[in-house]
Amino acid sequence: MCLPSQTESNTLITLALSKGRIFDETLPLIEAAGIRVLEDPNTSRKLILPTSRDDVQVVLVRASDVPTYVAQGGADLGVVGLDTLIEHQAETGGNDLYQPIDLRIAQCRLSVAVRADFDYDSAVQKGSRLRVATKYVHAAREFFAKKGVHVDLIKLYGSMELAPLTGLADAIVDLVSTGNTLKANHLVEVDHIVDISARLVVNPASLKLKRTALQPILSAIDQAVAPRLYTLS
Ligand code: AMP
């Protein structure tokens, strides 16, 4: 099949977003670049959403697929949590994405949590082997290796909090925001791995081939993020 070639004057920019917090919190930032999404992903069944700009469209993908879409050229830009990015980079070996902007949205932290009655510190001091359930196996492996703790990692895709309660694991590595989910499940946070926020990622080839179209969008988003630094500090 022969696809129509794009010239700089009719360049189409595709932005990959996942539904939920990242989608909602990205909207005000892209509005700064004059991009308004014209359909609500909660009511529309479309996976490609038009925007107020003819040259920009949004594609809805799973959060864990955003890095792949952008790295492989299915999208030019994407917004993805650092947690997902760390796992993607460990799996692909690294440098397939340009990351120009920390958007400072969807902020939380990646932490280790255990049952309130589990003595994590003494298990670590004794050199016990820990069973750790997580979706974030690469980040967890690196963290415990640096700490000198032997772990058996158990890969889960959700409801990590259940693992220590059912005896599946001694600890979990998961995202924590308010801490309410841990509290509700009688778990306590015992180690902090890394602060998380959403990052804008860009396909390196798009940055070269579509620079004229992309640069003003990146600058507008960057400026929309910058004032937030003052309100946060
Ligand atoms: P919280 O009860 O506010 O500490 O939120 C914890 C729950 O929300 C856990 O199930 C996390 O996996 C999820 N969570 C918290 N922050 C984020 C985020 N920025 N992105 C995705 N999931 C998150």
Side-chain angles (χ1 to χ4, degrees):
M1 191 174 72
C2 189
L3 293 171
S5 65
Q6 286 180 19
T7 64
E8 274 281 3
S9 59
N10 72 352
T11 302
L12 179 64
I13 302 291
T14 300
L15 168 65
L17 295 176
S18 53
K19 275 207 241 183
R21 194 168 163 184
I22 284 194
F23 184 91
D24 298 341
E25 295 187 21
T26 299
L27 290 188
L29 299 176
I30 61 174
E31 270 193 31
I35 302 165
R36 222 167 11 88
V37 182
L38 297 179
E39 291 198 37
D40 178 356
N42 297 314
T43 51
S44 169
R45 299 180 80 94
K46 285 186 188 168
L47 296 175
I48 300 180
L49 305 179
T51 76
S52 52
R53 282 180 48 168
D54 287 344
D55 62 338
V56 181
Q57 65 181 6
V58 167
V59 291
L60 293 176
V61 301
R62 273 184 75 120
S64 52
D65 290 336
V66 168
T68 306
Y69 263 84
V70 178
Q72 305 279 334
D76 303 294
L77 304 168
V79 177
V80 60
L82 180 62
D83 49 314
T84 306
L85 208 46
I86 290 171
E87 297 303 301
H88 170 81
Q89 287 179 323
E91 275 158 31
T92 59
N95 281 329
D96 55 358
L97 290 166
Y98 177 58
Q99 294 175 50
I101 305 172
D102 177 353
L103 299 176
R104 297 180 171 261
I105 57 172
Q107 289 181 315
C108 58
R109 55 196 182 271
L110 190 66
S111 294
V112 182
V114 297
R115 274 169 63 140
D117 59 2
F118 181 81
D119 191 344
Y120 175 76
D121 286 338
S122 77
V124 167
Q125 271 167 17
K126 277 193 285 187
S128 305
R129 200 172 180 96
L130 295 181
R131 291 167 304 145
V132 178
T134 187
K135 190 165 135 187
Y136 307 101
V137 286
H138 296 287
R141 184 174 294 118
E142 194 186 326
F143 173 76
F144 285 112
K146 276 196 188 140
K147 200 175 161 79
V149 176
H150 294 289
V151 289
D152 291 318
L153 292 171
I154 302 163
K155 169 95 184 186
L156 292 178
Y157 293 88
S159 300
M160 258 89 79
E161 297 84 4
L162 203 52
L165 306 180
T166 55
L168 179 67
D170 304 308
I172 59 170
V173 166
D174 196 9
L175 299 177
V176 181
S177 180
T178 61
N180 289 341
T181 306
L182 292 182
K183 212 185 222 173
N185 291 291
H186 312 291
L187 301 177
V188 288
E189 201 174 349
V190 285
D191 246 330
H192 169 271
I193 299 180
V194 62
D195 285 327
I196 299 292
S197 56
R199 310 297 162 104
L200 185 74
V201 290
V202 185
N203 176 280
S206 300
L207 196 60
K208 284 192 195 129
L209 300 171
K210 302 184 181 179
R211 180 174 281 278
T212 314
L214 277 176
Q215 203 58 61
I217 296 175
L218 299 184
S219 299
I221 292 174
D222 193 33
Q223 280 179 19
V225 173
R228 298 161 68 99
L229 298 178
Y230 297 105
T231 54
L232 287 171
S233 60

mmCIF file of all heavy atoms in Angstrom, residues 15 47 52 56 73 81 85 96 99 110 115 118 131 140 144 173 183 195 212 215 226 233:
data_model
loop_
_atom_site.group_PDB
_atom_site.id
_atom_site.type_symbol
_atom_site.label_atom_id
_atom_site.label_comp_id
_atom_site.label_asym_id
_atom_site.label_seq_id
_atom_site.Cartn_x
_atom_site.Cartn_y
_atom_site.Cartn_z
ATOM 1 N N LEU A 15 -0.605 12.468 19.084
ATOM 2 C CA LEU A 15 -0.255 12.456 20.510
ATOM 3 C C LEU A 15 -0.918 11.256 21.175
ATOM 4 O O LEU A 15 -2.140 11.098 21.094
ATOM 5 C CB LEU A 15 -0.758 13.764 21.155
ATOM 6 C CG LEU A 15 -0.761 13.860 22.679
ATOM 7 C CD1 LEU A 15 0.656 13.820 23.242
ATOM 8 C CD2 LEU A 15 -1.468 15.143 23.129
ATOM 9 N N LEU A 47 -11.064 5.663 19.233
ATOM 10 C CA LEU A 47 -9.703 5.579 19.766
ATOM 11 C C LEU A 47 -8.807 6.665 19.181
ATOM 12 O O LEU A 47 -7.714 6.908 19.673
ATOM 13 C CB LEU A 47 -9.121 4.191 19.473
ATOM 14 C CG LEU A 47 -9.853 3.038 20.173
ATOM 15 C CD1 LEU A 47 -9.292 1.697 19.746
ATOM 16 C CD2 LEU A 47 -9.785 3.190 21.692
ATOM 17 N N SER A 52 -9.021 20.561 18.149
ATOM 18 C CA SER A 52 -9.371 21.848 17.551
ATOM 19 C C SER A 52 -8.360 22.248 16.469
ATOM 20 O O SER A 52 -8.576 23.198 15.738
ATOM 21 C CB SER A 52 -9.429 22.925 18.634
ATOM 22 O OG SER A 52 -8.219 22.891 19.382
ATOM 23 N N VAL A 56 -3.440 18.093 14.388
ATOM 24 C CA VAL A 56 -3.119 17.337 15.602
ATOM 25 C C VAL A 56 -4.262 16.373 15.933
ATOM 26 O O VAL A 56 -5.428 16.766 15.936
ATOM 27 C CB VAL A 56 -2.889 18.279 16.814
ATOM 28 C CG1 VAL A 56 -2.537 17.463 18.059
ATOM 29 C CG2 VAL A 56 -1.793 19.300 16.527
ATOM 30 N N GLY A 73 6.917 4.924 16.331
ATOM 31 C CA GLY A 73 6.399 5.854 15.324
ATOM 32 C C GLY A 73 4.898 5.773 15.093
ATOM 33 O O GLY A 73 4.381 6.392 14.167
ATOM 34 N N GLY A 81 3.806 7.972 32.600
ATOM 35 C CA GLY A 81 4.386 8.052 33.946
ATOM 36 C C GLY A 81 5.809 7.527 33.948
ATOM 37 O O GLY A 81 6.137 6.588 33.209
ATOM 38 N N LEU A 85 7.799 4.336 32.145
ATOM 39 C CA LEU A 85 8.979 4.619 31.324
ATOM 40 C C LEU A 85 10.197 3.815 31.791
ATOM 41 O O LEU A 85 10.959 3.280 30.978
ATOM 42 C CB LEU A 85 9.258 6.126 31.427
ATOM 43 C CG LEU A 85 9.931 6.836 30.285
ATOM 44 C CD1 LEU A 85 9.338 6.470 28.947
ATOM 45 C CD2 LEU A 85 9.846 8.344 30.513
ATOM 46 N N ASP A 96 15.302 4.853 22.957
ATOM 47 C CA ASP A 96 14.436 4.987 21.793
ATOM 48 C C ASP A 96 13.436 6.131 21.936
ATOM 49 O O ASP A 96 12.571 6.311 21.084
ATOM 50 C CB ASP A 96 13.712 3.659 21.494
ATOM 51 C CG ASP A 96 12.934 3.125 22.691
ATOM 52 O OD1 ASP A 96 12.982 3.760 23.755
ATOM 53 O OD2 ASP A 96 12.285 2.083 22.541
ATOM 54 N N GLN A 99 13.044 12.613 25.819
ATOM 55 C CA GLN A 99 12.193 13.032 26.955
ATOM 56 C C GLN A 99 12.460 14.474 27.322
ATOM 57 O O GLN A 99 13.229 14.749 28.236
ATOM 58 C CB GLN A 99 12.530 12.209 28.191
ATOM 59 C CG GLN A 99 12.216 10.765 28.115
ATOM 60 C CD GLN A 99 12.727 10.086 29.393
ATOM 61 O OE1 GLN A 99 12.467 10.506 30.498
ATOM 62 N NE2 GLN A 99 13.478 9.023 29.208
ATOM 63 N N LEU A 110 7.055 5.732 44.004
ATOM 64 C CA LEU A 110 7.132 4.267 43.954
ATOM 65 C C LEU A 110 7.749 3.821 45.274
ATOM 66 O O LEU A 110 8.848 4.282 45.625
ATOM 67 C CB LEU A 110 7.985 3.835 42.758
ATOM 68 C CG LEU A 110 7.974 2.346 42.422
ATOM 69 C CD1 LEU A 110 6.583 1.896 41.959
ATOM 70 C CD2 LEU A 110 8.990 2.031 41.321
ATOM 71 N N ARG A 115 2.903 -5.665 55.339
ATOM 72 C CA ARG A 115 1.857 -5.714 56.359
ATOM 73 C C ARG A 115 2.353 -4.992 57.602
ATOM 74 O O ARG A 115 3.544 -5.071 57.940
ATOM 75 C CB ARG A 115 1.578 -7.173 56.731
ATOM 76 C CG ARG A 115 0.580 -7.849 55.830
ATOM 77 C CD ARG A 115 0.570 -9.315 56.085
ATOM 78 N NE ARG A 115 0.144 -9.611 57.448
ATOM 79 C CZ ARG A 115 -0.661 -10.624 57.759
ATOM 80 N NH1 ARG A 115 -1.114 -11.417 56.810
ATOM 81 N NH2 ARG A 115 -0.977 -10.860 59.000
ATOM 82 N N PHE A 118 4.644 -6.914 59.842
ATOM 83 C CA PHE A 118 5.865 -7.537 59.294
ATOM 84 C C PHE A 118 7.061 -6.634 59.605
ATOM 85 O O PHE A 118 7.046 -5.442 59.278
ATOM 86 C CB PHE A 118 5.718 -7.727 57.779
ATOM 87 C CG PHE A 118 6.905 -8.388 57.128
ATOM 88 C CD1 PHE A 118 7.060 -9.775 57.160
ATOM 89 C CD2 PHE A 118 7.883 -7.633 56.483
ATOM 90 C CE1 PHE A 118 8.156 -10.381 56.559
ATOM 91 C CE2 PHE A 118 8.978 -8.231 55.876
ATOM 92 C CZ PHE A 118 9.119 -9.612 55.917
ATOM 93 N N ARG A 131 10.017 -12.144 49.437
ATOM 94 C CA ARG A 131 9.160 -12.312 48.255
ATOM 95 C C ARG A 131 8.449 -10.995 48.011
ATOM 96 O O ARG A 131 7.742 -10.498 48.895
ATOM 97 C CB ARG A 131 8.129 -13.422 48.493
ATOM 98 C CG ARG A 131 8.739 -14.824 48.573
ATOM 99 C CD ARG A 131 7.731 -15.803 49.120
ATOM 100 N NE ARG A 131 7.240 -15.339 50.416
ATOM 101 C CZ ARG A 131 5.995 -15.510 50.863
ATOM 102 N NH1 ARG A 131 5.111 -16.159 50.141
ATOM 103 N NH2 ARG A 131 5.630 -15.048 52.043
ATOM 104 N N ALA A 140 12.014 -2.560 40.822
ATOM 105 C CA ALA A 140 12.152 -3.270 42.101
ATOM 106 C C ALA A 140 13.476 -4.033 42.145
ATOM 107 O O ALA A 140 14.204 -3.978 43.139
ATOM 108 C CB ALA A 140 10.973 -4.227 42.287
ATOM 109 N N PHE A 144 16.363 -3.257 45.033
ATOM 110 C CA PHE A 144 16.785 -4.231 46.054
ATOM 111 C C PHE A 144 18.226 -4.690 45.819
ATOM 112 O O PHE A 144 18.944 -4.982 46.774
ATOM 113 C CB PHE A 144 15.812 -5.406 46.109
ATOM 114 C CG PHE A 144 14.517 -5.056 46.796
ATOM 115 C CD1 PHE A 144 13.330 -4.989 46.075
ATOM 116 C CD2 PHE A 144 14.494 -4.767 48.147
ATOM 117 C CE1 PHE A 144 12.139 -4.647 46.704
ATOM 118 C CE2 PHE A 144 13.305 -4.419 48.791
ATOM 119 C CZ PHE A 144 12.128 -4.361 48.070
ATOM 120 N N VAL A 173 5.869 -3.613 45.773
ATOM 121 C CA VAL A 173 6.391 -2.334 45.253
ATOM 122 C C VAL A 173 5.270 -1.769 44.408
ATOM 123 O O VAL A 173 4.831 -2.393 43.436
ATOM 124 C CB VAL A 173 7.674 -2.556 44.420
ATOM 125 C CG1 VAL A 173 8.015 -1.308 43.613
ATOM 126 C CG2 VAL A 173 8.835 -2.926 45.335
ATOM 127 N N LYS A 183 -3.311 2.137 53.710
ATOM 128 C CA LYS A 183 -3.939 2.185 55.038
ATOM 129 C C LYS A 183 -5.186 1.296 55.089
ATOM 130 O O LYS A 183 -5.378 0.532 56.039
ATOM 131 C CB LYS A 183 -4.332 3.632 55.328
ATOM 132 C CG LYS A 183 -4.271 4.015 56.781
ATOM 133 C CD LYS A 183 -4.798 5.415 56.921
ATOM 134 C CE LYS A 183 -3.976 6.235 57.863
ATOM 135 N NZ LYS A 183 -4.411 7.627 57.845
ATOM 136 N N ASP A 195 10.551 9.227 43.195
ATOM 137 C CA ASP A 195 9.400 10.110 42.951
ATOM 138 C C ASP A 195 8.988 9.953 41.486
ATOM 139 O O ASP A 195 9.844 9.880 40.595
ATOM 140 C CB ASP A 195 9.778 11.574 43.213
ATOM 141 C CG ASP A 195 9.864 11.861 44.701
ATOM 142 O OD1 ASP A 195 9.086 11.246 45.459
ATOM 143 O OD2 ASP A 195 10.712 12.674 45.098
ATOM 144 N N THR A 212 9.440 21.633 12.525
ATOM 145 C CA THR A 212 8.736 22.917 12.389
ATOM 146 C C THR A 212 7.362 22.856 13.052
ATOM 147 O O THR A 212 6.922 23.817 13.678
ATOM 148 C CB THR A 212 8.558 23.259 10.888
ATOM 149 O OG1 THR A 212 9.794 23.027 10.241
ATOM 150 C CG2 THR A 212 8.126 24.687 10.686
ATOM 151 N N GLN A 215 8.091 21.872 17.289
ATOM 152 C CA GLN A 215 8.792 22.781 18.206
ATOM 153 C C GLN A 215 7.865 23.766 18.925
ATOM 154 O O GLN A 215 7.953 23.915 20.151
ATOM 155 C CB GLN A 215 9.922 23.507 17.459
ATOM 156 C CG GLN A 215 11.016 24.020 18.374
ATOM 157 C CD GLN A 215 11.664 22.899 19.196
ATOM 158 O OE1 GLN A 215 12.238 21.967 18.631
ATOM 159 N NE2 GLN A 215 11.545 22.960 20.518
ATOM 160 N N ALA A 226 6.021 25.438 33.332
ATOM 161 C CA ALA A 226 6.932 26.257 34.141
ATOM 162 C C ALA A 226 6.245 27.047 35.261
ATOM 163 O O ALA A 226 6.710 26.989 36.406
ATOM 164 C CB ALA A 226 7.730 27.184 33.233
ATOM 165 N N SER A 233 6.283 25.297 44.797
ATOM 166 C CA SER A 233 7.375 25.501 45.755
ATOM 167 C C SER A 233 6.963 26.412 46.904
ATOM 168 O O SER A 233 5.890 26.952 46.922
ATOM 169 C CB SER A 233 8.589 26.074 45.048
ATOM 170 O OG SER A 233 8.222 27.310 44.469
#
